[in-house]
Amino acid sequence: MSVRHTGVTPLVEPCGLPEHPDCGIRDVLDRIGDKWSVLAIVELASGPRRFRVLQRAIHGISQRMLTLTLRRLERDGLVLRTAYPTVPVSVTYELTDRGESLTHLVKQLADWSLANKDAIAESRHQWDTTHPDSGIS
């Protein structure tokens, strides 16, 4: 046991075993783990947003990808879409209670990413220097 490891790590059953073929973890992580979903959740954690506000806040996302991301999050019960009967129709997006329950996890991930981005960039640079033909980028 390492010096830093002081507790017992809970056993997590791996997916894909014959006795555990579809645990559902992959399906959920595919949705909440993709970069656009995480960034949309981060933006919506501050409160309801209109589509264009979200699009401007999430650098690099296309209109189509944002539409798909929001529809998928809505389908999963993480985002609520509200259309108002105005001309033109006004639409807002906000996190549901289930979506709100993700925000502390997403914030921890974002905080960890910010705290470690420079070290990870340096590790990548060192690895790429010693493995120039790896084809990994």
Side-chain angles (χ1 to χ4, degrees):
M1 181 162 31
S2 73
V3 175
R4 294 186 340 196
H5 185 82
T6 58
V8 176
T9 304
L11 180 62
V12 177
E13 293 293 326
C15 290
L17 296 176
E19 65 275 10
H20 202 236
D22 184 19
C23 63
I25 293 173
R26 288 180 187 175
D27 183 46
V28 172
L29 288 178
D30 282 347
R31 174 72 64 243
I32 62 170
D34 80 77
K35 73 176 178 180
W36 299 125
S37 293
V38 169
L39 293 172
I41 291 167
V42 166
E43 285 302 317
L44 291 171
S46 298
R49 298 283 188 268
R50 294 190 59 183
F51 185 90
R52 293 286 178 225
V53 173
L54 282 170
Q55 190 175 20
R56 283 191 297 270
I58 303 172
H59 180 73
I61 194 167
S62 67
Q63 181 175 336
R64 175 170 162 59
M65 184 52 66
L66 181 56
T67 299
L68 286 172
T69 299
L70 291 170
R71 283 184 187 162
R72 289 171 179 157
L73 292 170
E74 182 183 9
R75 179 177 177 240
D76 290 346
L78 301 173
V79 168
L80 176 65
R81 178 186 185 270
T82 305
Y84 299 95
T86 58
V87 178
V89 174
S90 176
V91 178
T92 60
Y93 297 89
E94 62 186 298
L95 294 175
T96 62
D97 289 342
R98 186 177 306 138
E100 286 283 343
S101 72
L102 269 176
T103 59
H104 74 282
L105 298 171
V106 171
K107 182 173 178 354
Q108 287 179 330
L109 182 59
D111 290 347
W112 182 90
S113 298
L114 284 172
N116 289 280
K117 69 179 182 147
D118 293 336
I120 290 171
E122 178 57 29
S123 292
R124 287 177 179 173
H125 175 71
Q126 288 177 6
W127 197 90
D128 291 346
T129 301
T130 58
H131 302 87
D133 298 325
S134 71
I136 297 174
S137 59

